[in-house]
Amino acid sequence: SSGSGDEALRDKRAGILSRGLPKQKPIEGVKQVVVVASGKGGVGKSTTAVNIALALAANDSTKEVGLLDADIYGPSIPKMMNLKGNPELTPKNLMRPLKNYGIACMSMGFLIEETAPVVWRGLMVMSAVEKLLRQVDWGQLDYLVIDMPPGTGDVQLSVSQNIPIAGAVIVSTPQDVALLDAHKGAEMFRKVHVPVLGLVQNMSVFQCPKCKHETHIFGADGVRDLAKTLGLDVLGDVPLHVNIRETCDSGQPVVISQPQSDAAKAYLKIAMEILRRLPVPPA
């Protein structure tokens, strides 16, 4: 079948990449890397990555947190973090991240016009990813959250093979179509020996703002069922709430702008669950 053929091709590509890429090398100054991924686009992965980064910082004000937007074709971190402009260069010709809400951010979106499409072939994309990983002066970070592009393609494999990753977080809605791709995403990380910390069930329930009736628009508990199948934990549920979308669109993510809201508390809980599962970083 075409499904098994696709899987064989992916396995073969992973094998070739694992032989052809250099040994994993840490990002200078970064203690731990957490990647936020999804098999499918449109499940709220970037929104989740932004709010997780802010929640990690909110949980412990002594920790330094960075956010890397590895979505070359559709960078959304600049808008969500309310950042514009080009990074300055250090004397060593490294890019300085732009900073807001205490989070150091780097994105392809800082290097191209906001409306300009990135019409590149694979090798140019890989070169851009390499620059974002290796040519940025992060200073000293406790955690670097990487917002991965959707899918299980070259960028995911390259990032996983190039740098040591403390753990991956898979974001999915409870919808069957999204769960199929989330399953593939989790399996991909296992194949390249990246520990999967758990799943986030996004857009889990919609509550009518007037009558408070709850509706499971994308289905109920699909991510929980998938977690059982994979032997993984569900790190938390994030409701389908207009505030989450509005705050990110306006560059004031909900963890910062509405810290007492249920949505912000959901992200703070997820951040705590991530911290509990991370290995103890080197001193």
Side-chain angles (χ1 to χ4, degrees), residues 168-232:
V169 174
I170 310 281
V171 180
S172 181
T173 61
Q175 186 182 7
D176 287 350
V177 175
L179 293 166
L180 281 170
D181 290 343
H183 193 150
K184 290 175 192 166
E187 294 294 359
M188 184 212 76
F189 283 118
R190 284 177 167 173
K191 283 200 169 92
V192 292
H193 311 297
V194 170
V196 180
L197 303 177
L199 308 179
V200 170
Q201 181 159 263
N202 200 26
M203 309 184 200
S204 59
V205 65
F206 172 73
Q207 186 184 67
C208 174
K210 290 185 177 168
C211 71
K212 306 299 180 195
H213 175 71
E214 293 192 344
T215 307
H216 294 277
I217 291 174
F218 294 107
D221 287 335
V223 173
R224 284 195 155 61
D225 295 339
L226 175 60
K228 277 187 201 145
T229 303
L230 293 168
L232 293 169

Side-chain angles (χ1 to χ4, degrees), residues 57 60-66 99 102-104 140-144:
D60 186 343
S61 59
T62 67
K63 302 294 186 193
E64 292 292 330
V65 180
K99 203 163 187 178
I103 307 291
Q140 296 297 314
L141 290 183
D142 294 283
Y143 310 109
L144 176 63

Side-chain angles (χ1 to χ4, degrees), residues 8-208:
L9 191 63
R10 256 201 311 275
D11 290 352
K12 188 176 178 186
R13 189 165 57 177
I16 291 167
L17 270 164
S18 66
R19 289 199 304 273
L21 282 171
K23 194 171 180 293
Q24 283 184 339
K25 187 175 150 207
I27 299 173
E28 195 171 334
V30 176
K31 283 187 184 170
Q32 291 186 305
V33 174
V34 175
V35 298
V36 179
S38 68
K40 189 170 171 48
V43 297
K45 171 189 50 63
S46 294
T47 301
T48 304
V50 163
N51 280 293
I52 282 175
L54 290 162
L56 285 170
N59 272 324
D60 186 343
S61 59
T62 67
K63 302 294 186 193
E64 292 292 330
V65 180
L67 180 58
L68 172 59
D69 187 353
D71 195 343
I72 303 297
Y73 292 115
S76 48
I77 298 301
K79 183 173 179 62
M80 292 184 180
M81 290 295 287
N82 197 25
L83 287 167
K84 274 186 180 170
N86 300 113
E88 293 176 0
L89 290 177
T90 69
K92 290 184 177 175
N93 225 23
L94 299 175
M95 293 181 285
R96 277 206 179 97
L98 276 62
K99 203 163 187 178
N100 198 12
Y101 308 124
I103 307 291
C105 301
M106 181 50 65
S107 170
M108 193 71 203
F110 300 146
L111 309 176
I112 55 170
E113 291 292 319
E114 193 172 12
T115 55
V118 178
V119 188
W120 286 354
R121 291 188 184 277
L123 282 172
M124 289 176 75
V125 172
M126 303 317 290
S127 171
V129 169
E130 179 71 14
K131 282 186 171 62
L132 291 174
L133 288 176
R134 298 291 175 205
Q135 294 182 21
V136 177
D137 180 5
W138 289 105
Q140 296 297 314
L141 290 183
D142 294 283
Y143 310 109
L144 176 63
V145 176
I146 301 185
D147 178 24
M148 296 283 245
T152 54
D154 292 343
V155 173
Q156 290 84 345
L157 286 168
S158 183
V159 171
S160 305
Q161 300 279 3
N162 256 296
I163 59 171
I165 296 171
V169 174
I170 310 281
V171 180
S172 181
T173 61
Q175 186 182 7
D176 287 350
V177 175
L179 293 166
L180 281 170
D181 290 343
H183 193 150
K184 290 175 192 166
E187 294 294 359
M188 184 212 76
F189 283 118
R190 284 177 167 173
K191 283 200 169 92
V192 292
H193 311 297
V194 170
V196 180
L197 303 177
L199 308 179
V200 170
Q201 181 159 263
N202 200 26
M203 309 184 200
S204 59
V205 65
F206 172 73
Q207 186 184 67
C208 174

